[in-house]
Amino acid sequence: MAKSSRLGLLQNRDFGRLFAATALGQLGDRIIFLSLPLVAIVALHADAFQVGLLTAMTSAGSLLVGLPAGAWVDRMPKRSVMISTDLARALFLLTIPAAWWVDLLTIRWLYAVALIHGVLTVFFDVAYVSYLPHLVGRGNLVEGNSKLSGIRSVTSISGPTVAGPLVGLVGAPATLLVSSAGMAMSGLLAITIRKREEKPEPSERPQLAGEIKEGLKFVVKYPTLRAIMLGDAVFNLFLVMYQTMLLVFLEREIGLQSFGIGLIFSGMGCGALLGALLATRVSRRVGQGRVIWLASLVTCPLTALMPLARAGWSVYVAAIGLAALSLGGVVRVVAQSSFQQALTPDRLLGRMSATARFVSWGGIPLGGLLGGASGSVFGAVGTLWIGAAGMTLSVLPNFLSPLRTMRTVPTKNAPGFAR
């Protein structure tokens, strides 16, 4: 694949289409991230626990279908899974503004849509991660992940920037129309990708339990993969606790309007964009293994600035800490995603991705519930402190593993590795 210009993989027509589809889908997703909780907080006057439960419903799909999703996706064309789940998510999101317009929208309706959307997202994400090595080749994984993280970061900036004024202008429920349109366009654009991965070899007697077990055994076999999953699980648990009360803190205690909240989340997107631009260079300089724990160690403690903030300029200073968290998070995710993909045989990519997601994201629903419960007991400020401390401690599994000194992916020494 030619990479003679600075565009690199973007010169490849199919990768360019995946890049554009990612931009549209992620724009819709970023608007959901801001708008869906605001529908509950502003339109339905939900309390702290209900906001936490909504967050839990959004991510419960990882627990419900996380492991079997990998086995199912390994049996199917990944591109087709991406297209169908994008279009289905767009359809279900449309029901929220429709119910709102006819005065039927309830918190239970939000819970249901959030749960269905989350289940579909599990299948989409597993297929997306598994499809990339087929599309760009294993030698281009760091660049491919970095470029896709870059466009996701751009949408992290533009999404809240678009969502904030839209929420103020037309209300949070109607803003979800933009999310639905973005995901529908993403699915339609993915249809135009020409390259197909090779059809998975059908098993004579496919057994779901056996396939799931094989994926689990592969991931558990490697200390580095185990450490990455455990570190992610701890990080995500406390990140969701933090995020669950962040909107409550900004809207109810700081008194920010939707536009100001959008600016803070756009700042996080700026940090993520910078992280995507630096990810390849930093991984080469520091080492692909070491950067996974160093990125978190440097940036997670800065999230403690937010619970110290008060109304006025200090909240925007605290937002710098959130931007740093996004920067470090993207650098870490690019490195560890490329690490996991490079270490995994093609036939196990879906199951590796699903297993990693199941373990790493399994605590997210619990984080939403704990965030809501903690907010009810300790308040939003107390929960932000707990979240900041937990995210910082998430570095320990990776630091105490071989990743502490590892610079490159040990694919040659990986038992059972096959392409």
Side-chain angles (χ1 to χ4, degrees):
M1 186 175 295
K3 295 194 290 181
S4 57
S5 76
R6 293 181 179 180
L7 291 175
L9 284 173
L10 290 176
Q11 295 178 113
N12 179 276
R13 185 173 181 178
D14 282 337
F15 180 79
R17 290 175 176 178
L18 179 65
F19 184 85
T22 300
L24 291 167
Q26 286 295 311
L27 178 62
D29 188 66
R30 288 296 86 191
I31 294 174
I32 294 170
F33 179 77
L34 181 63
S35 300
L36 196 59
L38 286 177
V39 173
I41 294 170
V42 178
L44 299 179
H45 308 290
D47 59 31
F49 182 77
Q50 288 174 319
V51 175
L53 184 56
L54 178 63
T55 302
M57 288 293 181
T58 302
S59 51
S62 295
L63 288 177
L64 294 176
V65 297
L67 289 177
W72 287 327
V73 168
D74 275 338
R75 300 176 185 175
M76 298 182 286
K78 279 71 174 175
R79 171 182 162 275
S80 299
V81 176
M82 292 162 53
I83 293 167
S84 58
T85 51
D86 252 344
L87 296 178
R89 288 189 297 174
L91 182 62
F92 280 105
L93 283 173
L94 276 177
T95 68
I96 294 177
W100 178 61
W101 282 327
V102 296
D103 201 26
L104 292 177
L105 185 61
T106 64
I107 192 67
R108 291 183 180 179
W109 193 301
L110 284 189
Y111 292 157
V113 174
L115 179 61
I116 295 170
H117 182 274
V119 168
L120 292 170
T121 298
V122 171
F123 283 93
F124 176 87
D125 286 348
V126 170
Y128 184 88
V129 171
S130 306
Y131 183 60
L132 186 63
H134 295 285
L135 189 65
V136 304
R138 292 176 179 271
N140 296 313
L141 282 174
V142 173
E143 182 191 350
N145 281 313
S146 182
K147 280 184 164 57
L148 292 174
S149 291
I151 194 59
R152 286 195 292 266
S153 302
V154 170
T155 59
S156 293
I157 301 169
S158 56
T161 303
V162 169
L166 272 178
V167 169
L169 182 64
V170 301
T175 303
L176 291 173
L177 286 171
V178 179
S179 298
S180 177
M183 288 189 173
M185 292 171 66
S186 173
L188 294 173
L189 188 57
I191 293 175
T192 67
I193 297 176
R194 296 178 179 176
K195 186 171 183 179
R196 308 289 192 271
E197 71 267 34
E198 294 182 6
K199 291 184 178 180
E201 295 183 5
S203 174
E204 293 183 3
R205 300 178 64 183
Q207 295 181 341
L208 183 63
E211 292 174 351
I212 292 173
K213 183 178 179 180
E214 185 181 12
L216 280 168
K217 287 178 65 176
F218 175 80
V219 174
V220 171
K221 184 189 323 183
Y222 298 107
T224 49
L225 294 183
R226 292 200 306 268
I228 287 171
M229 287 193 303
L230 181 57
D232 259 4
V234 176
F235 176 83
N236 288 331
L237 173 71
F238 287 99
L239 173 65
V240 172
M241 286 186 66
Y242 190 97
Q243 289 178 331
T244 299
M245 286 299 104
L246 180 60
L247 280 174
V248 175
F249 174 76
L250 293 174
E251 202 269 341
R252 292 182 178 170
E253 299 201 22
I254 298 296
L256 283 183
Q257 301 299 312
S258 58
F259 181 74
I261 295 174
L263 284 179
I264 288 178
F265 280 92
S266 292
M268 293 177 68
C270 290
L273 175 59
L274 183 58
L277 295 174
L278 294 175
T280 302
R281 185 180 304 174
V282 172
S283 291
R284 289 173 181 167
R285 180 72 61 88
V286 176
Q288 194 173 338
R290 291 191 296 185
V291 77
I292 292 173
W293 61 269
L294 270 172
S296 295
L297 182 63
V298 171
T299 59
C300 286
L302 297 176
T303 56
L305 292 172
M306 186 56 72
L308 293 171
R310 299 294 180 267
W313 60 269
S314 65
V315 72
Y316 293 104
V317 173
I320 296 173
L322 300 185
L325 178 71
S326 296
L327 187 155
V330 169
V331 170
R332 174 179 61 85
V333 167
V334 167
Q336 70 186 33
S337 295
S338 304
F339 192 104
Q340 291 167 318
Q341 290 164 335
L343 197 62
T344 306
D346 287 347
R347 66 184 184 85
L348 291 173
L349 278 167
R351 278 166 281 177
M352 179 281 296
S353 175
T355 301
R357 183 188 176 99
F358 178 80
V359 177
S360 301
W361 289 43
I364 291 180
L366 179 60
L369 292 174
L370 289 177
S374 176
S376 299
V377 175
F378 303 111
V381 173
T383 304
L384 293 181
W385 278 113
I386 295 170
M391 284 187 281
T392 302
L393 291 174
S394 71
V395 72
L396 289 177
N398 290 319
F399 179 77
L400 297 175
S401 78
L403 291 168
R404 183 173 65 255
T405 57
M406 189 176 293
R407 294 188 61 88
T408 58
V409 183
T411 51
K412 292 183 180 178
N413 299 322
F417 179 79
R419 295 182 183 178

